[in-house]
Amino acid sequence: MSTAQALRHRLAATLTEDDWLHDNTWRAAIETEPRELFLGPALFQQTGLPESTAWTALRRDSVPTQEWLNLTYRNDSWVTQVDGVLAEEATGPVEGSPSSSSTLPGLVVQMIERAGTTPGDRVLEIGTGTGYSTALLSNVLGARNVTSVEIDPDAAERARNALDTAGHHPTLITNDGLLGAPDGAPYDRLIAACSVRFVPYPWLRQIKPGGTILVTLGGWSFGHGLVRLTVDANGEATGRFLPGYTSFMLARPHDHPPRGRLEFLPGEQRPSRIDPTLLDDWTGRFVGQLAAPSAERFGAGAEQILFDVATGSQARTRPAEHEGWIVEQRGPLKLWDAIEDAIEVWTAAGSPHLREFGLTITRVRQRVWLGTPDGPSWLLPV
Ligand SMILES: C[S@@+](CC[C@H](N)C(=O)[O-])C[C@H]1O[C@@H](n2cnc3c(N)ncnc32)[C@H](O)[C@@H]1O
């Protein structure tokens, strides 16, 4: 057995021990697919933290083979593109946010299993990225049953070459995956490797009745929740959020609109009814985002800052002099009032994890609910 093969087997064993991987069919795919092929010639690493947030490329030919393979077969995500610049094209440090990556193998295989994917299924993947997850799907389902859509032409070409070299020829589409892939519809499962602010309606029309959509709901306040939806014969869907803490980069068309320098202006001040640090909690942050979906959140702890780019509405919290917190708000949307209302509903229910929430999608609205479908609910910004 070669070094790479041995590392693949070790990765599969680790993923099984660590509860990411349960099914021997997918385990065999992890043991077979050469992740080094999909990571390509270079990766980005964030260096100089906390002073600098620049990304520096690490080239495969600059490190010993064994070291590169060890990196490849760690259960880690690797960033392959920052703001449109592929790692192999970087000529120096790049400032920006990851725009494509290889998801950690544990999460890739967990998503596949959680979608209920079994041999015989036809799968639509949104966000091909490096192509590694597409290779795992092709390995088990057969490439003719796999369609993957990637919005970034450079990432798509890189993935296509890697998949070709690995001997897989699934249907690869370079386009906005929020439109789905109607030509190959209907599919049994849709697995999204990017998050969305609401579920795109074309997806609902392309999944068979009884089929599954597995997607992370995200937003501009960094709230994330993985939801598994079952689609019905009317093209409507419902399902619950899943345990754990899954996040993906936002689908590019759902990213926040461009804005100038953030300038905070004086507003009305009053005591806050809630502890602002609740927005640092995984579910608290998601609930806050449900209540103020068009706001971006900055800051942390007792000093939260919310800014709504469309209306210029702002909210900022700080500790009060003696006890409690002060909120200062400005603009037509009372962002903090809405967040307080929602957080109070959540805390009154015992501050449960997101898995106590669900999502129901009809033809006209998308509603996240707490507890049961007739419980307290919030509309997504469709
Ligand atoms: C986390 S990466 C995917 C990782 C991939 N599953 C892997 O294992 O290599 C997310 C990908 O989604 C892509 N993406 C973002 N918005 C998209 C959209 N609207 N349609 C299709 N792909 C999109 C990004 O360009 C990026 O390559």
Side-chain angles (χ1 to χ4, degrees):
M1 196 184 275
S2 71
T3 308
Q5 280 170 326
L7 288 169
R8 270 170 228 145
H9 280 255
R10 197 159 83 201
L11 174 66
T14 306
L15 298 186
T16 306
E17 280 158 28
D18 294 348
D19 210 25
W20 293 98
L21 170 61
H22 305 96
D23 186 313
N24 281 336
T25 316
W26 298 105
R27 181 172 176 150
I30 293 273
E31 287 171 347
T32 314
E33 291 304 326
R35 193 181 186 214
E36 64 274 30
L37 200 61
F38 298 95
L39 290 186
L43 307 166
F44 273 120
Q45 290 183 308
Q46 216 168 8
T47 45
L49 290 168
E51 289 80 23
S52 161
T53 53
W55 296 85
T56 307
L58 177 69
R59 287 171 201 286
R60 184 172 53 199
D61 57 14
S62 71
V63 292
T65 305
Q66 179 69 48
E67 196 181 315
W68 185 262
L69 287 174
N70 287 342
L71 288 180
T72 300
Y73 287 104
R74 273 173 24 190
N75 186 25
D76 273 331
S77 291
W78 291 108
V79 172
T80 48
Q81 192 193 55
V82 170
D83 280 355
V85 179
L86 287 174
E88 57 266 37
E89 286 165 359
T91 50
V94 181
E95 283 281 352
S97 307
S99 49
S100 191
S101 63
S102 174
T103 305
L104 63 155
L107 180 54
V108 169
V109 81
Q110 187 191 63
M111 293 282 287
I112 291 172
E113 285 193 1
R114 281 181 151 180
T117 320
T118 47
D121 282 348
R122 290 171 44 71
V123 172
L124 173 59
E125 177 186 52
I126 310 297
T128 317
T130 61
Y132 179 64
S133 47
T134 323
L136 294 175
L137 289 166
S138 303
N139 179 304
V140 170
L141 306 179
R144 69 184 181 290
N145 290 318
V146 178
T147 299
S148 186
V149 190
E150 169 59 52
I151 200 168
D152 185 282
D154 294 336
E157 192 192 330
R158 199 178 185 275
R160 181 183 297 276
N161 291 338
L163 283 158
D164 272 351
T165 309
H168 297 302
H169 307 288
T171 304
L172 298 175
I173 298 172
T174 307
N175 199 3
D176 179 4
L178 303 187
L179 302 171
D183 289 351
Y187 306 94
D188 298 282
R189 324 266 161 215
L190 182 151
I191 301 174
C194 50
S195 64
V196 290
R197 295 177 70 220
F198 59 89
V199 178
Y201 277 99
W203 293 3
L204 294 153
R205 292 194 288 271
Q206 294 173 25
I207 301 300
K208 291 179 190 168
T212 309
I213 294 177
L214 185 69
V215 62
T216 309
L217 279 191
W220 302 338
S221 289
F222 308 109
H224 293 275
L226 180 65
V227 67
R228 180 170 52 211
L229 297 165
T230 304
V231 179
D232 69 20
N234 300 321
E236 302 188 329
T238 195
R240 285 196 165 266
F241 288 82
L242 300 183
Y245 304 92
T246 304
S247 67
F248 281 97
M249 58 184 69
L250 266 178
R252 295 188 189 179
H254 281 198
D255 214 344
H256 61 76
R259 72 178 142 67
R261 219 171 63 85
L262 193 64
E263 214 175 326
F264 204 84
L265 303 167
E268 284 169 28
Q269 298 190 25
R270 63 167 176 80
S272 171
R273 291 183 349 240
I274 58 161
D275 176 353
T277 63
L278 289 171
L279 296 193
D280 292 342
D281 174 88
W282 180 267
T283 304
R285 181 183 314 155
F286 190 84
V287 171
Q289 184 173 277
L290 287 174
S294 57
E296 276 187 78
R297 186 174 71 93
F298 309 87
E303 300 185 359
Q304 302 283 341
I305 300 174
L306 290 126
F307 187 83
D308 179 78
V309 77
T311 62
S313 303
Q314 309 179 342
R316 188 163 62 169
T317 62
R318 62 173 191 275
E321 209 166 307
H322 297 298
E323 203 186 333
W325 310 269
I326 299 293
V327 59
E328 186 172 353
Q329 299 190 84
R330 179 189 175 91
L333 288 183
K334 296 288 174 256
L335 300 170
W336 199 251
D337 293 15
I339 289 174
E340 283 174 329
D341 290 348
I343 291 283
E344 282 181 343
V345 168
W346 172 61
T347 51
S351 311
H353 178 272
L354 206 46
R355 64 175 170 266
E356 298 302 324
F357 290 66
L359 170 63
T360 297
I361 301 180
T362 65
R363 282 169 180 253
V364 288
R365 57 186 192 172
Q366 305 197 3
R367 209 167 46 83
V368 172
W369 38 263
L370 170 56
T372 55
D374 56 0
S377 64
W378 299 266
L379 292 179
L380 294 180
V382 180

